[in-house]
Amino acid sequence: MCYEGEGDLHKHVTGCKKNPGHKGFIPLKDFNASCLPSRYHDDDLMSETIKTFAALTVQVKTQFTSLKRPEFYPGTQDLYPFYNDKGSQVMRLGTGRICWADKYTDSKETCRCSKCQVSATPSKVWGEICVLTSAHVVFDDSEARQTSCILGFDDNTRPGVSLDGWKVGGAEIERDRCVLIYVTCDSNALELVDEMDTVCQRFYSLCEKVKDKYGRFIDDDKLTVIVSHPHGCPKLVSVGQWTRKEERVDGHTWTRYWYTTSTCPGSSGAPIFMLGYCGRLYRHSHSASNSEGNYSGEWRG
C-alpha cells in the first residue's frame, strides 16, 4: 500500500525502490490493442474488455487503522500490515474494483452516508456500490467507515468522485480479500451509480465473448493485466503473465497466482484480469510480493 500523507506521494513516486522508473505502467489514455500480446493486435475485443475493466477500478483511501488488527497473519509469525499503527489516523491508499452497483428509490431504508447519519431527514433516494479489495487494505467496519472510494480518477485533469464507506460486506484475512459497501445520495454520484451498473453488465458480457474467442489460449498466453493507482496516481495499466498457480482444497478449490505484471505501493487490492475467468469470477486482487514475484489473494476457481 501507499502509506503516509498525500503530500508525500510525489516523493514516493520518484524514489520508488520496488519499480524504479515505473517500467511496465501504461497511462489509461494510452492503452490500446498494441499494448497486448500480438494475438490481440488486430482485434478490439480484448482491449475494449480491459478498458471496461479499468472503468470499474477505483482508488481506496483509508484514514484509520483498526484496533482489532492482529499482530501476525493467522497460523504464522509473519507480521500483519499496520499492526503497529492501530488506532492511528495515518492515511493509506490502495485500489479496488466495483463488483455491482444499485440505486434505491422506493426502499424503506434510507441513505447511510456521513451526512445522512447525522440528519433528521436522511435521503430516501440513494445508491450503493460494492467494491472488492484486499483485507489488509481495509480490515473491518471501523476502517470502512473512514474509507472513501474514488471513482473515475483516470488522469490528473479528472479528480474523480468520492463515495463514503459504510461497512465491510465480508473479509477473510487468510485469503486477503475484502468486500466493501459504499453509499451516496449526492445527485451527481447517483448518476455515476447508474453508469457503473451499466458498465458492470457490459464487462460481464464482454468477458463471455473473450472466453469464447480466446479461451483456448489460456495456457499459451497466461495473460495477466492489472489496473491500479500506484503511489496514489491516476489509473495505470500493466500487462504481464502469470507464472505459477497454487491450488488449495478445503471443500472448494481456492487459487492464488504469481505473475510478472508490474505493481507498486498503492496497487494493493487492484483487480487482476486473467484470460479464462469470466464475468463475476474476476475476483482475484493483487495482494503483495515475495521472492517469487507479485501474487494475488485467494479466490475460488
Side-chain angles (χ1 to χ4, degrees), residues 235-248:
K235 285 176 195 172
L236 295 174
V237 182
S238 48
V239 181
Q241 293 179 304
W242 59 267
T243 57
R244 184 164 78 87
K245 176 182 177 181
E246 178 184 271
E247 292 188 348
R248 185 174 59 81

Side-chain angles (χ1 to χ4, degrees), residues 81-180:
F82 312 115
Y83 168 79
N84 291 327
D85 296 312
K86 293 194 303 182
S88 74
Q89 298 284 336
V90 178
M91 184 190 73
R92 304 188 304 275
L93 294 171
T95 306
R97 177 178 75 82
I98 295 172
C99 297
W100 53 258
D102 281 319
K103 186 169 75 174
Y104 304 98
T105 57
D106 56 1
S107 172
K108 293 181 181 180
E109 298 182 3
T110 56
C111 182
R112 303 172 180 86
C113 74
S114 56
K115 291 181 180 179
C116 286
Q117 286 182 27
V118 296
S119 172
T121 57
S123 178
K124 295 182 179 180
V125 178
W126 55 288
E128 189 173 84
I129 283 181
C130 172
V131 170
L132 179 68
T133 187
S134 296
H136 78 269
V137 174
V138 181
F139 181 77
D140 61 11
D141 286 348
S142 69
E143 293 187 2
R145 286 190 290 269
Q146 297 191 55
T147 297
S148 55
C149 160
I150 296 86
L151 286 68
F153 183 27
D154 294 351
D155 57 58
N156 284 318
T157 66
R158 299 179 60 190
V161 176
S162 180
L163 304 183
D164 286 342
W166 172 39
K167 68 176 183 178
V168 167
E172 296 178 85
I173 301 175
E174 297 87 350
R175 299 185 178 103
D176 198 23
R177 69 181 194 90
C178 173
V179 176
L180 293 169

